[in-house]
């Protein structure tokens, strides 16, 4: 059974030739076509769908159904093939194509068929093309188009195609497969391999014409194609750069000697060609731009960063603009800096370098910190002397002062990673502004707190969290106690887990002094009825219901005594193993206490850099713990802290170190003294235990500002005092959605990287949607990329190029690869594994097949 005819192509040259043959078919039914130059072979290949010669093929010649037989070297084979359909009085319409042979007028072996039908000797292929082209252009123009001797059927077909930009040279359009001049120019500049074809087909003149017409550049007549390319690239990039300047471009030097543009159309073309070069040929563009930048002698020092536009034509512009942003930050001109930075949000040069992207992120955080400090500074001055109002100012959702602390923490986490490139003046300035605003905040709040008798009206006190929050939850309930989680970190946790179920956050006031033995005891059962601070022998601790609680073991004993069916786990224990192992650990527990001491432990005992890294990963660890709790059947969770903290960039200055009160010192911390007698140093305030509601003879002395006592240890991180950052703690109540353990989706995403081992704390991964199933990835998908050591997250996504990254959630677009930068938060790990989770379901979309070694400093 013969196959149905293929659909013929629609270009005008094919249609014209088919029309000529169809006319003979209509009149004579059999057409024998001799083509000694074999010019029509491509036409008949199109007609038959590349069917083999020597057989009959059903075809459509124009609109006429016919049979085609292509000569394969044997005239007898042709006759044998067509005989069944050409015998009789009414033969079927048949085309016989004989390439590479001329007709033997005296003894043609196809004579009978030719006499029954007709013999057609077509004109030269160029004549066909000329006839088609005459429909839309002049003979003079056609002569220029057809002057090259090497034009093929494909070239002529593209010329004849009546599509694309009006006036666009058809040879070039055919070669580059583009319908517009911008495509041709961008492709030619980027693809040097086409030069030979342009030369051979005589299209150099067309190229000169399009360069002159579209971008106003007259290329020297004697310029070979490589030189033409260099001149054109310089003209394009120099003019795009000038068009984007806020002011006048310099008139002297090499840049001033580059020919300008004459019309808006030329400006539009220059912008578009440069854009296409960056988007479609980025690696080639880098070389071109760097070469032209060098030829023009462009330096960051020559131009004011604020005068540069939003397009980074040249590499130096990114550095110049960033330097200008830093200078504005150093001058407290944060709004101007933000406007300048926002204009470069998607710079070509920034997006190609994760380290540069990280540096810009640090600048953005400086601006965010500066703006938050300015807003807080204004409202501090307008806040009255009610302590509840100070707390409300600190925690309010839209413009709460806690945002200042969050911006500072994020900046100080990222700053050490790019310190070699950081502008020291800008960093020092925002640090000084932060320190000043926090000082004013501390001084104002302490005065209000003292006036209110060291109680904050209408605000939950830490000692009532168990009785008013935990007790009201359904059983089983998880009670997560996070050491040193200040309010702004609680907000970050809230934002991380709000999709887990019903989540609420509210502030509470920690018990003074804001240190772990006091705060952790205040969170226990019975604290609302009877709570105090006392000494027993040489030891200091809290007292709840007659129980002395100087340490963890005593607090655990009280909790077990007060709460039947209680299980106590560290965060490490909750995260180790899998969800089934956790379910086994908690078994029939009615209350599960989970303790996290990572934040305070790192702040007290680690370097500043490492401590901040631990804080960054603590939120993720707690969130993962809650997911496991949900999979283990826990629905109600309360998360609370024992105290907050202050964490400055560096050590306190000598003037901010206070002498300790002396006397009978029971306990001394950098932000509090507990004891009897002694002096009250200038810059501090003494509070009798009775004023705090304690049945004790102890006094508490705290700095009246952000100063510290001379107590040794780290003077950047500290707590124990009465600042908002130390006393305002978050209380989160969570009603978890019941969920099964997260499943694994195969081939959901692909992850690649350009290293065999992690050798720097900043490293990047390439992430893109995979091929997990038909239609599955035809829309964007939000994922959460993490890097693990065991079950601990030790690196979190910080910046991304090619995708939107917000709070660790990466939105991937189909067919688009994202380059994601990570900061390693644990220098002690020896290997890591990469994992990509679905941001909504936590399904595992990817896990690296093997551990990646970590060799820092290599």
């Amino acid at each position: 059974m013969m196959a149905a005819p293929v659909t013929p192509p629609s270009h005008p040259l094919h249609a014209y030739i088919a029309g000529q043959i169809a006319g003979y078919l209509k009149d004579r039914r059999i057409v024998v076509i001799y083509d000694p130059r074999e010019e029509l072979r491509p036409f008949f290949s199109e007609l038959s769908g590349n069917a083999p010669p020597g057989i009959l093929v059903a075809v459509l010649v124009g609109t006429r159904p016919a049979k085609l037989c292509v000569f394969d070297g044997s005239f007898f084979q042709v006759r044998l093939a067509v005989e069944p359909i050409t015998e009789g009085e009414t033969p079927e319409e048949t085309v016989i194509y004989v390439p590479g042979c001329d007709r033997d007028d005296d003894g043609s072996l196809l004579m009978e068929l030719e006499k029954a039908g007709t013999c057609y000797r077509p004109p030269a292929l160029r004549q066909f093309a000329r006839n088609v082209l005459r429909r839309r252009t002049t003979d003079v123009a056609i002569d220029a188009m057809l002057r090259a001797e090497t034009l093929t059927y494909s070239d002529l077909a593209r010329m004849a195609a009546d599509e694309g930009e009006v006036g666009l040279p058809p040879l070039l359009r055919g070669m580059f497969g583009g319908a517009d001049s911008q495509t041709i120019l961008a492709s030619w500049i980027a693809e040097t391999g086409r030069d030979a074809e342009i030369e051979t087909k005589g299209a150099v003149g067309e190229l000169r014409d399009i360069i002159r017409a579209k971008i106003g550049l007259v290329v020297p007549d004697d310029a070979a194609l490589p030189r033409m390319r260099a001149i054109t690239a310089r003209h394009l990039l120099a003019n795009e750069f000038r068009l984007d300047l806020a002011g006048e471009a310099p008139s002297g030097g090499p840049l001033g000697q580059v020919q300008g543009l004459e019309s808006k159309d030329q400006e539009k073309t220059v912008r578009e060609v440069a854009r296409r070069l960056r988007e479609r040929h980025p690696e080639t563009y880098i070389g071109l731009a760097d070469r032209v930048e060098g030829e023009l002698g462009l330096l960051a020092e020559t131009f004011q960063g604020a005068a540069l536009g939003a397009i980074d034509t040249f590499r130096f512009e990114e550095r110049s603009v960033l330097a200008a942003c830093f200078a504005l930050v150093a001058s407290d001109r944060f709004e101007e800096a933000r406007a300048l930075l926002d204009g470069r949000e998607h710079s070509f040069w920034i997006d190609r370098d994760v380290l540069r992207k990280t540096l810009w992120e640090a600048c953005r955080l400086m601006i965010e910190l500066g703006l938050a400090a300015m807003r807080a500074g204004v409202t501090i001055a307008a806040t009255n002397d009610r302590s509840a109002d100070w707390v409300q100012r600190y925690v309010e959702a839209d413009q709460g002062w806690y945002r200042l602390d969050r911006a500072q923490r994020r900046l100080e986490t990222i700053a050490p990673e790019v310190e070699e490139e950081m502008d020291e003046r800008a960093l020092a300035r925002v640090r000084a502004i932060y320190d000043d605003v926090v000082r004013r905040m501390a001084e104002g709040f302490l005065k209000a707190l003292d006036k209110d008798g060291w109680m904050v009206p209408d605000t939950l006190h830490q000692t009532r969290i168990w009785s008013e929050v935990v007790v009201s939850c359904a059983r089983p309930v998880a009670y997560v106690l996070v050491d040193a989680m200040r309010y702004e970190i609680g907000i970050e946790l809230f934002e991380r887990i709000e999709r887990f179920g019903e989540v609420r956050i509210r502030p509470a006031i920690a018990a003074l002094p804001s240190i772990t033995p006091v705060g952790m005891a205040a969170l226990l059962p019975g604290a609302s009825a009877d709570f105090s601070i006392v000494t027993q022998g040489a030891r200091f601790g809290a007292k709840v219901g007659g129980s002395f609680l100087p340490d963890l073991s005593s607090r655990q004993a009280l909790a077990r005594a007060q709460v039947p069916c209680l299980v106590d786990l560290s965060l490490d224990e909750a995260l180790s193993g899998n969800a089934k192992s956790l379910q086994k650990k908690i078994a029939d527990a009615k209350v599960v206490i989970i303790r996290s001491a990572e934040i305070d432990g790192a702040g007290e005992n680690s370097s500043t850099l490492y401590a901040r890294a631990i804080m960054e990963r603590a939120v993720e660890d707690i969130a993962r713990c809650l997911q496991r709790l949900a999979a283990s059947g826990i629905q109600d969770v309360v998360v609370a802290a024992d105290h907050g903290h202050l964490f400055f960039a560096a050590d306190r200055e000598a003037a901010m170190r206070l002498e300790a009160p002396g006397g009978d010192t029971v306990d001394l911390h950098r932000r509090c003294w507990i004891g009897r007698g002694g002096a009250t140093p200038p810059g501090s305030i003494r509070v009798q235990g009775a004023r705090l509601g304690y049945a004790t003879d102890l006094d508490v002395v705290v700095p009246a500002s952000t100063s510290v006592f001379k107590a040794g240890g780290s003077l950047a991180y500290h707590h124990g005092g009465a600042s908002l950052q130390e006393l305002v703690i978050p209380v989160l109540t969570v009603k978890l959605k019941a969920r099964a353990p997260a499943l694994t989706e195969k081939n959901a995403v692909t992850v690649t990287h350009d290293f065999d081992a992690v050798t720097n704390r900043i490293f990047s991964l390439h992430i893109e949607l995979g091929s997990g199933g038909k239609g599955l990835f035809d829309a964007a998908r939000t994922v959460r990329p993490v890097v693990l050591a065991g079950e601990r997250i030790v690196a979190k996504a910080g910046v991304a190029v090619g995708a939107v990254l917000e709070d660790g959630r990466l939105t991937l677009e189909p067919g688009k690869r994202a380059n994601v930068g990570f900061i390693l938060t644990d220098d002690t790990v020896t290997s890591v594994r990469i994992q990509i989770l679905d941001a909504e379901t936590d399904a595992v979309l990817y896990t690296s097949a093997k551990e990646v070694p970590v060799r820092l400093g290599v």
Side-chain angles (χ1 to χ4, degrees), residues 214-479:
K214 298 300 180 181
I215 61 175
L217 175 64
V218 178
V219 181
D221 292 338
D222 61 348
L225 285 173
R227 186 181 170 210
M228 284 176 59
R229 178 178 289 104
I231 294 171
T232 304
R234 183 173 63 180
H235 178 81
L236 272 166
L237 300 189
N239 275 294
E240 185 197 41
F241 174 70
R242 287 195 294 209
L243 287 171
D244 204 40
L245 288 174
E248 291 292 325
S251 57
L255 181 62
Q257 297 172 15
V258 175
Q259 178 185 331
L261 304 176
E262 300 170 352
S263 68
K264 293 295 182 182
D265 286 341
Q266 289 178 5
E267 291 179 5
K268 181 180 178 181
T269 301
V270 161
R271 292 183 188 275
E272 182 60 20
V273 173
R275 184 187 68 81
R276 293 189 190 189
L277 279 169
R278 284 188 289 272
E279 290 184 358
R280 302 178 185 181
H281 312 279
E283 297 304 324
T284 301
Y285 181 84
I286 290 172
L288 284 172
D290 286 345
R291 177 179 58 78
V292 173
E293 180 181 318
E295 290 175 356
L296 299 178
L298 300 175
L299 301 171
E301 298 79 17
T302 311
F303 297 88
Q304 293 290 331
L308 298 171
I311 301 171
D312 279 344
T313 303
F314 298 114
R315 190 188 296 270
F316 87 90
E317 294 183 74
E318 176 260 317
R319 296 178 181 271
S320 182
V321 173
L322 184 58
C325 284
F326 279 138
L328 291 169
V329 168
S331 302
D332 296 356
R333 295 156 66 185
F334 299 110
E335 290 288 1
E336 293 176 60
R338 181 168 64 178
L340 186 56
L341 184 138
D342 286 350
R344 296 298 179 110
E345 186 176 0
H346 299 293
S347 158
F348 174 81
W349 301 100
I350 303 169
D351 286 351
R352 297 194 64 78
D353 188 334
V354 167
L355 183 61
R356 298 302 299 176
K357 186 84 171 178
T358 305
L359 189 60
W360 277 73
E361 176 66 8
C363 184
R364 186 189 66 78
L365 289 169
M366 283 186 186
I367 295 168
E368 183 180 322
L369 175 56
L371 291 171
M374 294 300 183
R375 287 192 296 267
V378 171
T379 51
I380 286 171
T383 304
N384 60 33
D385 57 0
R386 295 183 65 250
S387 59
D389 289 340
W390 284 82
V391 173
Q392 182 58 35
R393 291 278 197 184
Y394 187 75
V395 303
E396 61 187 359
D398 294 333
Q399 299 296 331
W401 295 340
Y402 76 85
R403 293 175 176 272
L404 175 73
D405 296 317
R406 180 158 69 172
Q408 183 258 2
R409 173 173 57 85
R410 290 179 172 177
L411 172 62
E412 295 298 346
T413 300
I414 204 172
E417 309 303 332
V418 289
E419 58 185 348
E420 292 183 5
E421 302 281 347
M422 187 75 74
D423 186 295
E424 294 181 3
R425 295 173 307 150
L427 185 58
R429 181 56 189 152
V430 293
R431 283 173 171 170
I433 291 173
Y434 175 77
D435 289 5
D436 179 65
V437 173
V438 171
R439 175 190 59 77
R440 293 170 57 197
M441 216 181 275
E443 293 170 356
F445 176 59
L446 189 136
K447 289 178 181 177
L449 192 60
D450 186 45
K451 183 178 179 181
D452 282 343
W454 295 89
M455 299 297 292
V456 180
D458 304 319
T459 305
L460 178 68
H461 193 269
Q462 187 178 41
T463 55
R464 303 202 311 270
I465 292 175
W466 175 272
S467 60
E468 295 186 16
V469 181
V470 180
V471 169
S472 64
C473 293
R475 297 299 190 261
V477 59
Y479 192 22

Side-chain angles (χ1 to χ4, degrees), residues 507-824:
I509 301 300
L512 264 175
S514 53
I515 55 177
T516 299
V518 174
M520 284 297 180
L523 293 168
L524 294 178
S528 61
D530 182 12
F531 183 82
S532 186
I533 56 173
V534 297
T535 57
Q536 270 192 16
R539 303 189 73 187
F540 166 77
K543 186 177 181 183
V544 175
S547 298
F548 178 57
L549 309 174
D551 52 27
L552 172 61
S553 61
S554 61
R555 295 193 295 271
Q556 289 176 313
L558 173 67
R560 290 192 183 99
Q562 294 287 327
V563 183
C565 302
L566 179 140
V567 172
D568 183 297
L569 300 172
S570 70
L571 183 61
D572 268 336
E573 290 171 327
L575 287 175
S576 62
N578 53 31
K580 287 186 178 179
S581 64
L582 177 61
Q583 193 170 24
K584 187 176 181 180
K585 289 174 185 176
I586 63 179
D588 298 324
K590 298 301 182 184
V591 176
V592 179
I593 291 180
I594 295 176
R595 294 171 285 101
S596 168
E598 287 74 15
I599 295 175
D600 200 47
E604 294 284 6
N605 304 308
S606 306
S607 68
T608 299
L609 174 63
Y610 185 63
R612 294 192 186 280
I614 294 294
M615 291 177 185
E616 284 294 301
R617 82 183 196 202
V619 167
E620 283 294 329
D621 286 342
I622 296 168
R624 287 167 73 86
C625 178
L626 265 58
Q627 291 170 318
R628 290 197 166 189
L629 289 170
S632 301
I634 300 286
Q635 289 189 320
D636 283 57
V637 179
V638 177
V639 184
D642 57 345
H643 55 76
H645 62 267
L646 288 167
F647 200 174
F648 294 99
D651 199 349
R652 303 284 77 198
E653 297 178 2
M656 300 188 70
R657 301 185 193 184
L658 308 177
E659 294 293 338
D664 179 12
T665 301
V666 172
D667 207 356
L668 175 64
H669 297 261
R670 291 177 291 281
R671 289 279 294 164
C672 67
W673 171 93
I674 303 123
R676 304 175 185 89
T680 304
S684 65
I685 186 168
R686 181 181 294 263
V687 190
Q688 294 177 339
R691 289 196 72 196
L692 298 172
Y694 304 152
T696 184
D697 64 345
L698 295 174
D699 292 344
V700 177
V701 180
V702 295
S705 183
T706 53
S707 302
V708 294
F709 293 124
K710 295 178 181 179
S714 169
L715 297 179
Y717 171 89
H718 37 68
H719 57 86
S723 69
L724 288 162
Q725 288 82 356
E726 294 165 286
L727 284 189
V728 179
I729 57 171
V731 179
L732 291 89
T733 53
V734 189
K735 180 74 73 172
L736 294 170
K737 296 176 184 176
R739 56 196 300 155
L743 302 177
T744 298
E745 291 184 31
K746 293 184 178 179
N747 304 317
V749 296
T750 59
V751 178
T752 56
H753 46 80
D754 304 324
F755 52 82
D756 297 322
V758 175
T759 57
N760 294 294
R761 295 188 72 246
I762 292 181
F763 59 95
S764 62
L765 303 173
H766 307 301
I767 305 173
E768 58 187 317
L769 291 177
S771 54
K774 184 177 180 182
L776 184 60
F777 302 113
D778 56 359
R781 187 170 190 177
T782 303
V783 302
R784 185 176 294 278
V786 295
V787 178
L788 304 168
E791 293 299 319
R792 285 272 183 192
I793 293 176
V794 295
K796 182 180 174 183
V799 294
V801 175
V804 175
L805 177 69
E806 293 181 355
D807 293 328
R809 293 162 60 90
L810 182 75
T811 302
L812 296 171
E813 298 290 341
K816 191 173 183 181
R817 187 174 78 167
N819 189 21
V820 184
F822 292 79
I823 299 177
L824 190 68

Side-chain angles (χ1 to χ4, degrees), residues 39-50:
E39 290 183 314
L40 295 184
R41 268 194 184 276
F43 168 82
F44 283 101
S45 291
E46 292 176 340
L47 196 67
S48 67
N50 293 309

Side-chain angles (χ1 to χ4, degrees), residues 126 144-156 158-159 170-172 174-176 194-206 225:
R126 285 167 176 270
M145 294 162 63
L146 301 181
R147 62 174 171 247
E149 295 296 328
T150 56
L151 297 175
T152 64
Y153 176 87
S154 179
D155 296 327
L156 296 170
R158 286 193 293 259
M159 284 184 182
L171 267 179
L172 288 175
M175 281 184 235
F176 288 95
R194 295 183 181 271
D195 286 1
E197 185 183 8
I198 293 172
E199 292 274 10
T200 302
K201 293 182 177 177
V204 176
E206 285 190 358
L225 285 173

Side-chain angles (χ1 to χ4, degrees), residues 94-164:
T94 305
V95 177
I96 300 170
Y97 173 56
V98 185
C101 295
D102 208 346
R103 182 177 186 271
D104 182 352
D105 292 334
D106 296 322
S108 171
L109 294 176
L110 302 178
M111 185 73 73
E112 293 179 6
L113 292 167
E114 294 165 4
K115 288 191 175 295
T118 187
C119 176
Y120 177 42
R121 290 169 169 165
L125 180 60
R126 285 167 176 270
Q127 187 58 50
F128 280 132
R130 184 179 290 275
N131 293 342
V132 175
L133 290 168
R134 279 197 182 111
R135 297 172 180 174
R136 60 186 180 88
T137 190
T138 65
D139 279 336
V140 174
I142 295 171
D143 289 341
M145 294 162 63
L146 301 181
R147 62 174 171 247
E149 295 296 328
T150 56
L151 297 175
T152 64
Y153 176 87
S154 179
D155 296 327
L156 296 170
R158 286 193 293 259
M159 284 184 182
D162 193 18
E163 298 176 357

